[in-house]
């Protein structure tokens, strides 16, 4: 439709299953595999257009999730420019994935592929969108693309080496510099023990409930909250105890490639006697239960990095050392 002056707006879905695999479609008569989605019609928003395409094309009643990327492609000759919105869809449950089907008379193949395999299979104009969208998903950010290329200042998708080169060349304006800098997620936790030296752990009501944690949670830095205040708030909200944290025992830094760094401030909550433990009242939207455990019981309950953090903090408390600088729980 090159006679229409406005850009063509498309909506694409990065449809994931619970194993992190990407849904890729292959339709007879089309030369290249593709991601689910299509052109936005009439007065639809991109979110509405994607939801319709999923419903009509895959028998999938799922709304468009978080916006991961926007890619603008210049027009061919003749042709129109394209603005593609890329949204997260899912993760789909095994039942939802198994229920995917195609309209009668429109044979197609749906494949669930690991992310790198999906990027390798998709055509050159689509693969960069998927790669940047997945980077935005893992970093909790957003990617700004032009013809598949992440732009200077894009919060996600920009190759780290290119970001460094842009910073060193001085070509990034202050806003683009802030947007493209690596981000970190911050949290505050409190180490409590009972009179018998047993460690207080809590079982989350979300995520992996088989993994136990220390009381605590995210720091609301966008509200001006500082780590110590966050530790006190989290304990009050989760356990119903309004207790001022003691001294800072450690700061832990952990990092996985392609993800934001995670920084945890660990405070000494002191020793809770039996009457104080009896006053615990859980927020059932966040926690399932609490318990006290010995150090020997930690390996079966908490992940190794947190176990190392707890052990280091117990040592710092006993010896008066610290605050300790930890990396994945290691001093």
């Amino acid at each position: 439709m090159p006679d229409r002056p406005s850009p063509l707006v498309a909506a694409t879905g990065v449809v994931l299953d619970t194993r992190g695999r990407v849904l890729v479609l292959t339709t007879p008569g089309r030369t290249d595999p593709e991601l689910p989605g299509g052109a936005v019609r009439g007065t639809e928003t991109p979110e509405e257009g994607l939801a319709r395409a999923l419903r009509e094309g895959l028998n999938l009643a799922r709304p468009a999730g978080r916006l991961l990327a926007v890619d603008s492609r210049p027009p061919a000759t003749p042709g129109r420019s394209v603005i593609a919105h890329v949204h997260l869809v899912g993760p789909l449950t095994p039942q939802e994935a198994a229920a995917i089907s195609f309209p009668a008379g429109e044979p197609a193949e749906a494949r669930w592929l690991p992310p790198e395999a999906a990027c390798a299979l998709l055509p050159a104009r689509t693969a960069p969108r998927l790669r940047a969208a997945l980077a935005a998903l893992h970093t909790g950010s957003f990617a700004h693309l032009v013809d598949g290329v992440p732009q200077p200042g894009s919060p996600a998708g920009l190759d780290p080496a290119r970001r460094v080169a842009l910073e060193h060349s001085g070509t990034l304006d202050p806003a683009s510099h802030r947007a493209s800098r690596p981000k970190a997620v911050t949290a505050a936790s409190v180490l409590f023990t009972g009179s018998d030296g047993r460690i207080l752990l809590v079982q989350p009501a979300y995520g992996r409930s088989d993994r136990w944690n220390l009381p605590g949670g995210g720091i609301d830095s966008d509200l001006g909250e500082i780590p110590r205040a966050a530790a006190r708030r989290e304990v009050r909200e989760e356990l119903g105890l309004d207790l001022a944290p003691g001294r800072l025992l450690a700061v832990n830094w952990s990092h996985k490639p392609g993800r934001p760094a995670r920084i945890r401030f660990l405070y000494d909550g002191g020793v809770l006697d039996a009457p104080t433990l009896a006053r615990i009242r859980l927020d059932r939207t966040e926690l399932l239960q609490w318990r006290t455990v010995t150090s020997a019981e930690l390996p079966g309950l908490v992940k190794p990095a947190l176990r190392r953090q707890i052990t280091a903090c117990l040592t710092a408390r006993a010896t008066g050392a610290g605050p300790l600088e930890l990396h994945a729980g290691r001093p």
Side-chain angles (χ1 to χ4, degrees):
M1 297 175 282
D3 56 321
R4 298 188 182 182
S6 59
L8 175 68
V9 179
T12 299
V14 177
V15 183
L16 301 180
D17 67 3
T18 53
R19 295 166 56 185
R21 297 180 302 176
V22 180
L23 179 63
V24 177
L25 305 178
T26 303
T27 305
R30 296 187 180 180
T31 57
D32 294 319
E34 58 190 357
L35 297 173
V40 176
R41 299 175 184 171
T43 59
E44 287 180 333
T45 64
E47 293 82 359
E48 291 169 340
L50 178 56
R52 172 187 49 75
L54 295 173
R55 187 173 58 253
E56 296 176 354
L58 299 176
N59 190 34
L60 178 60
R62 268 280 192 151
R66 188 167 70 83
L67 180 63
L68 299 175
V70 170
D71 186 14
S72 7
R73 194 171 73 219
T77 306
R80 298 164 65 187
S81 60
V82 176
I83 300 175
H85 288 229
V86 185
H87 288 265
L88 172 66
V89 179
L92 304 189
T93 65
Q95 294 77 15
E96 289 176 315
I100 286 176
S101 60
F102 303 98
E106 188 176 323
E109 180 186 10
R111 283 187 280 180
W112 292 97
L113 300 174
E116 281 308 312
C119 290
L121 184 66
L122 290 169
R125 71 179 182 279
T126 309
R129 290 180 191 166
L130 175 59
R131 191 170 283 109
L134 290 171
L137 171 65
H138 296 323
T139 58
S141 192
F142 170 81
H144 169 211
L145 313 174
V146 173
D147 210 11
V149 178
Q151 296 302 289
S154 175
L158 195 63
D159 180 80
R162 183 162 179 248
R163 172 186 61 77
V164 171
L166 289 169
E167 288 180 345
H168 289 178
S169 67
T171 57
L172 289 179
D173 62 88
S176 296
H177 180 267
R178 287 193 301 272
S180 60
R181 286 295 301 166
K183 307 301 188 292
V185 178
T186 55
S189 298
V190 182
L191 175 68
F192 293 107
T193 56
S195 303
D196 53 3
R198 294 167 66 91
I199 303 149
L200 177 65
L201 297 180
V202 294
Q203 185 182 30
Y206 49 85
R208 289 192 56 176
S209 59
D210 61 321
R211 293 275 178 86
W212 291 67
N213 293 322
L214 292 174
I219 300 169
D220 292 335
S221 57
D222 56 339
L223 299 178
E225 189 174 54
I226 62 173
R228 180 173 294 275
R232 183 168 187 168
R233 173 183 55 78
E234 287 287 342
V235 169
R236 184 175 61 251
E237 292 176 353
E238 291 184 345
L239 303 179
L241 300 177
D242 188 12
L243 302 172
R247 70 185 183 92
L248 180 65
L249 296 174
V251 176
N252 183 74
W253 174 282
S254 61
H255 175 253
K256 293 181 180 179
R259 265 66 168 180
R262 304 181 71 86
I263 303 168
R264 186 200 299 258
F265 295 80
L266 296 119
Y267 292 93
D268 186 1
V271 177
L272 303 182
D273 57 20
T276 304
L277 289 172
R279 294 206 320 268
I280 290 178
R281 297 293 182 269
L282 298 182
D283 179 351
R284 296 296 178 179
T285 63
E286 294 197 26
L287 300 178
L288 297 176
Q289 57 182 317
W290 66 273
R291 64 188 293 188
T292 60
V293 302
T294 65
S295 296
E297 294 175 281
L298 289 175
L301 297 172
V302 304
K303 58 186 179 180
L306 179 56
R307 184 176 74 246
R308 292 192 294 267
Q309 293 171 57
I310 293 172
T311 301
C313 286
L314 288 171
T315 301
R317 179 205 266 186
T319 62
L324 302 179
E325 179 185 348
L326 307 177
H327 178 214
R330 297 182 177 90

